[in-house]
Amino acid sequence: MDKNGLVISFINMKGGVGKTTLSIGIADYLAKLEDSRVLVIDIDPQFNATHSLIDAYKKKSVIDDTIIDDETVDIRTTLEEVIQGNTEDKDEDEEVSNNFYTLEVLNKNKTIFQLFKPQLDMSKRYELPKAEDLIINLKDGLDLLSGDLNLVLANKNSDFSLVKRLKNFISENSLRKEYDYIIIDCPPTLTIYTDSALLASDFYIIPNRIDRYSIIGIDSLQTAVGNLISSEGIDLKCLGIVYTMVNKNMNAKQLRIKTDFESKKSVNDIDIFDSVSHIVNHIQYGYSGTLPTKYKSSLEDIESISQEMLNKIAFTLESVK
């Protein structure tokens, strides 16, 4: 049965806001617990989403359904266990996942860089790659178009036609009929990849930390989105801001920063999710990797955010009928 998939970009012009963690967490949740078919597109030259997902699903000791109760397992205990008894297994896991990326992805040219390679022979018509030539399967319901450091090279090209390559790739390969959701992890800078992701998207979500400089990324992003909507005539909607890496007990200073942020003019027209993602140290330092759905407390956050996102999408689609 054909689907009518939606494309959602996760984007902020400021780095270090938990964008990748949120995007891959929601993608994994939708595939695992909402029984959806999901494609993650890693268009960030840092390609952290690619490494996180490959590490989660292509290492030797992967156990799909293992959820760590991070509230009862102290992170220091986990690290001590690694040092005392599991170092060899951990090293082997890292080698397996690294080898998979090198042998099965890079060496076979199965990365998003293939979409943005400049056309060198102008006497021939450019042909977009086929989906099966680039997309890899991670598990049932979850696929990945891997990132690539070589995107840094493509970004130096001034050919604006490259910006439309991702949208055309999705269209020509009928990916909306294959997937319920296409999640794009975007770079935290204004590049051809930012425009390319937004041009291909129906919606975008803004992950955002509560700090003194958070408004900078919002201002830059909304300006870029406004320019793109005006120049390309696209129907792109913001689902809202999601607060990330939030302390469970915010102090008075953090609350003042939050209040000041929400009073800014550029934020007034943007919805703010009620659900937030909290700081979970295991995501950065724990033994089971960086996928937030592997840890009990972050999985609860991801579930809440995902359900709110789905409700916002349903409301938006219903309101335009």
Side-chain angles (χ1 to χ4, degrees):
M1 178 177 170
D2 286 348
K3 301 179 183 298
N4 187 24
L6 298 171
V7 184
I8 308 167
S9 281
F10 287 72
I11 186 168
N12 192 324
M13 294 297 98
K14 185 175 181 295
V17 298
K19 167 183 62 64
T20 295
T21 300
L22 183 65
S23 61
I24 63 175
I26 289 177
D28 192 61
Y29 170 82
L30 292 173
K32 183 185 297 183
L33 299 174
E34 288 293 317
D35 197 27
S36 299
R37 283 211 69 202
V38 182
L39 171 65
V40 175
I41 297 178
D42 188 354
I43 202 170
D44 186 344
Q46 297 182 57
F47 61 105
N48 290 326
T50 295
H51 283 310
S52 293
L53 289 169
I54 287 178
D55 182 59
Y57 289 112
K58 294 300 180 181
K59 63 187 180 183
K60 180 181 178 182
S61 61
V62 64
I63 304 175
D64 194 344
D65 295 326
T66 299
I67 305 297
I68 294 177
D69 188 350
D70 52 286
E71 295 178 346
T72 59
V73 176
D74 187 85
I75 189 167
R76 290 170 296 181
T77 302
T78 305
L79 291 174
E80 287 169 4
E81 290 173 354
V82 173
I83 293 170
Q84 291 172 5
N86 299 320
T87 304
E88 183 178 342
D89 290 341
K90 180 67 172 177
D91 289 343
E92 190 172 354
D93 270 347
E94 289 179 352
E95 183 178 355
V96 169
S97 60
N98 288 337
N99 284 344
F100 179 87
Y101 181 74
T102 301
L103 298 176
E104 299 298 324
V105 179
L106 274 184
N107 289 357
K108 294 183 179 180
N109 294 319
K110 296 174 77 72
T111 77
I112 196 169
F113 179 61
Q114 302 306 311
L115 288 182
F116 293 96
K117 291 175 67 174
Q119 185 175 356
L120 300 178
D121 187 351
M122 300 305 294
S123 66
K124 296 181 180 179
R125 180 180 180 272
Y126 173 78
E127 292 187 6
L128 281 166
K130 300 295 184 184
E132 58 267 25
D133 294 332
L134 299 187
I135 294 172
I136 63 171
N137 175 252
L138 296 169
K139 64 169 188 173
D140 288 346
L142 185 62
D143 291 345
L144 171 67
L145 176 47
S146 298
D148 192 327
L149 182 60
N150 286 315
L151 286 177
V152 173
L153 302 176
N155 188 49
K156 297 178 181 179
N157 193 292
S158 59
D159 183 0
F160 185 76
S161 67
L162 296 179
V163 174
K164 297 184 179 181
R165 293 252 180 110
L166 180 58
K167 181 177 182 178
N168 292 340
F169 175 76
I170 292 172
S171 176
E172 290 191 20
N173 286 283
S174 302
L175 295 185
R176 290 176 182 270
K177 295 181 180 180
E178 295 294 325
Y179 298 99
D180 297 287
Y181 302 98
I182 299 173
I183 303 293
I184 307 178
D185 185 36
C186 299
T189 50
L190 288 171
T191 66
I192 62 169
Y193 312 123
T194 309
D195 285 351
S196 183
L198 292 173
L199 193 62
S201 296
D202 304 296
F203 303 101
Y204 66 100
I205 287 176
I206 309 172
N208 195 59
R209 286 189 69 173
I210 300 172
D211 62 39
R212 289 188 179 279
Y213 305 106
S214 58
I215 195 64
I216 297 173
I218 307 297
D219 285 338
S220 299
L221 175 60
Q222 292 302 88
T223 299
V225 170
N227 291 338
L228 197 64
I229 289 175
S230 297
S231 63
E232 297 296 323
I234 57 175
D235 186 17
L236 176 63
K237 294 180 174 61
C238 181
L239 289 176
I241 295 170
V242 177
Y243 287 133
T244 58
M245 305 167 77
V246 177
N247 288 314
K248 291 195 173 180
N249 296 304
M250 285 197 294
N251 58 36
K253 181 179 179 180
Q254 291 169 322
L255 288 171
R256 284 198 302 271
I257 292 173
K258 179 176 179 290
T259 300
D260 181 62
F261 169 79
E262 293 176 1
S263 70
K264 301 296 184 183
K265 182 179 179 181
S266 55
V267 180
N268 289 344
D269 295 329
I270 307 175
D271 285 342
I272 296 177
F273 277 60
D274 293 324
S275 308
V276 305
S277 68
H278 296 94
I279 293 174
V280 178
N281 287 328
H282 279 269
I283 293 176
Q284 281 75 37
Y285 310 111
Y287 182 60
S288 286
T290 58
L291 192 60
T293 47
K294 294 290 185 181
Y295 305 100
K296 181 176 180 292
S297 58
S298 54
L299 174 58
E300 291 171 354
D301 290 343
I302 290 294
E303 179 176 15
S304 180
I305 294 168
S306 297
Q307 289 300 325
E308 188 170 353
M309 180 192 79
L310 295 177
N311 289 337
K312 286 178 179 293
I313 289 173
F315 177 81
T316 302
L317 294 178
E318 185 64 30
S319 65
V320 298
K321 286 183 179 180

